[in-house]
Amino acid sequence: KMAATSVREMKDALTAAGISFADCSEKSELVARYRNVMANSASRSGPAVPPKAKASTPSRNTPQTPVPPKQLSIEEMGKEADGSDGGELGSEIRRVCSSNNFYKILKVERSCKEQDLKKAYRKLALRLHPDKCHLSGAEEAFKKVSKAFSCLHDSRQRGSYDLNGEEIVQRGASGFRGGFRDEDAEELFRAYCSAGSKFENVTSAIKGNPWLLLTLLTEPPVYPFG
């Protein structure tokens, strides 16, 4: 019905039909032209269909789903920003990231003592920490070293790992709480490798991850500083 059609709707319909209404100085002229167009449209294709509303475009403020970082291949790891090879340290990153054996990652024997584990962990963690090493893949290598040490340093987890392999870690058994988290690596590093106050480092790490207390109770950390 014409009474239900607003001036704006009539103009939109005329625009959609490609009909100019610039010369319509009175509303009556606009209505007459609109009626004429609608009548012609109905006679050609049946009942007139209201013009489709324009599809809304996403707002610039609409949050975008973050794109996950590209997964590097082993060959792409251990490189400088310009693509050149990172030398011995680059080879170390590729070695760590290509292995799923916790003992091989830390470069220790299966019969190694607790002191050997801590020494191997500190040496690798200090070299591979992302704040110090900027080669590609360094962060991934650092996390793998931390995960291996966190498991093998605890006697119960080590025994389970020797029997079941990495599966025991992935399913969150023996204190892993659903798996080793990224933040656990940093907390472990602060407890064993930070150069700050020893007591403050351990206390801060335990507050962030109480499960580290199990690791620390097995044998206190030996600090490389002080």
Side-chain angles (χ1 to χ4, degrees), residues 152-173:
L152 298 182
H153 185 66
D154 180 84
S155 59
R156 288 184 60 192
Q157 293 178 31
R158 182 174 178 177
S160 297
Y161 175 79
D162 288 344
L163 290 174
N164 302 284
E166 193 179 7
E167 180 185 355
I168 200 70
V169 179
Q170 292 174 340
R171 67 171 182 250

Side-chain angles (χ1 to χ4, degrees), residues 15-51:
T15 300
I19 305 299
S20 173
F21 52 84
D23 58 327
C24 296
S25 57
E26 298 292 337
K27 181 179 178 181
S28 58
E29 296 175 349
L30 180 67
V31 171
R33 186 159 303 177
Y34 173 76
R35 286 177 174 173
N36 184 52
V37 169
M38 291 298 101
N40 290 337
S41 176
S43 63
R44 290 195 304 267
S45 57
V49 178

Side-chain angles (χ1 to χ4, degrees), residues 192-214:
Y192 282 86
C193 300
S194 177
S197 165
K198 299 176 183 179
F199 178 77
E200 291 178 358
N201 292 336
V202 175
T203 301
S204 175
I206 292 175
K207 285 182 178 179
N209 180 7
W211 282 101
L212 285 177
L213 182 60
L214 295 176

Side-chain angles (χ1 to χ4, degrees), residues 121 125-126 128-132 138-139 142-147 149-150 180-195 201-202 204-206 208-209 212:
Y121 165 71
L126 287 168
L128 297 174
H129 193 281
D131 287 349
K132 182 176 181 180
E139 184 174 1
F142 172 71
K143 292 175 183 176
K144 292 196 73 168
V145 166
S146 302
K147 181 179 180 181
F149 175 68
S150 181
F180 190 81
R181 307 170 305 165
D182 291 350
E183 53 265 38
D184 292 338
E186 195 62 42
E187 291 163 359
L188 199 63
F189 181 83
R190 286 199 299 269
Y192 282 86
C193 300
S194 177
N201 292 336
V202 175
S204 175
I206 292 175
N209 180 7
L212 285 177

Side-chain angles (χ1 to χ4, degrees), residues 25 38 50-51 66 72 74 78-79 96 101 107 114 119 125 153-154 194 208 213:
S25 57
M38 291 298 101
L72 297 176
I74 298 299
K79 305 291 185 180
V96 170
N101 185 299
K107 294 198 290 190
E114 293 294 330
K119 183 178 179 180
H153 185 66
D154 180 84
S194 177
L213 182 60

